[in-house]
Amino acid sequence: MWWTGVSRERASAALERVQTVALDDGYMLPAADLRDFETTGTVARGSVDLLPKWDCYTMGYAPDGRHRLVHPDVQDHLYDFRGDGRGAVLVDGVAAGVWEPRFSGRRLVIRLKLFERPAATLERVIAKRFREVAAFLGARDLSFETGQR
């Protein structure tokens, strides 16, 4: 746990104080979160979420557990050679593409690579979500650099 900035012994001691419950496939959950976990519904059909680089959703999986989030054929696009997560476009909770932002003056430029060409309706939803990000970041304009896998 080098990324925490504490020693292995200190991190282990902290984790020993957390009561956990075992889930399927060897996953664990803090016991205090079990009720919320069990009452969480499925992802709404057609939902689009934009995750930033290094988001805990993508970074919380070891390489052999990433199949829950991304198909093995495109996993290398979602993670760099070190295993660091890239910005992800999730559709229905599954990785559908990657994105990288940069500013050019007051214009937010999104380098977007979708794994498959989306239907027109989904494409509009994805663009709307990026407009929301641009507004949040104070961009005056938004443009895309796109590509397919």
Side-chain angles (χ1 to χ4, degrees):
M1 296 189 193
W2 60 268
W3 50 269
T4 64
V6 297
S7 69
R8 178 186 308 256
E9 293 79 20
R10 188 170 174 194
S12 295
L15 288 175
E16 286 174 5
R17 290 190 287 258
V18 177
Q19 290 185 344
T20 60
V21 292
L23 303 174
D24 294 338
D25 299 327
Y27 289 94
M28 299 181 80
L29 182 75
D33 294 342
L34 182 61
R35 183 175 178 184
D36 290 338
F37 179 79
E38 290 178 334
T39 59
T40 299
T42 59
V43 176
R45 181 148 167 69
S47 66
V48 173
D49 295 293
L50 305 176
L51 304 182
K53 180 179 183 176
W54 297 325
D55 187 85
C56 61
Y57 185 69
T58 56
M59 295 303 296
Y61 291 99
D64 61 349
R66 292 177 177 161
H67 66 276
R68 294 172 173 246
L69 143 83
V70 61
H71 192 277
D73 290 349
V74 293
Q75 182 172 314
D76 288 345
H77 294 277
L78 194 61
Y79 297 91
D80 68 15
F81 68 94
R82 293 178 300 268
D84 288 342
R86 294 188 165 106
V89 177
L90 301 184
V91 176
D92 299 339
V94 177
V98 294
W99 66 285
E100 183 178 316
R102 70 175 167 79
F103 270 92
S104 178
R106 297 289 309 266
R107 174 187 299 242
L108 178 61
V109 180
I110 301 293
R111 185 174 185 189
L112 178 63
K113 184 182 216 176
L114 298 174
F115 303 145
E116 295 179 2
R117 180 152 178 85
T121 303
L122 180 57
E123 194 169 32
R124 286 191 295 274
V125 173
I126 292 170
K128 179 181 183 275
R129 299 291 284 153
F130 278 111
R131 285 193 301 275
E132 293 168 355
V133 169
F136 176 78
L137 295 176
R140 285 200 176 144
D141 198 9
L142 172 69
S143 65
F144 293 93
E145 296 172 355
T146 60
Q148 298 299 119
R149 178 170 79 99

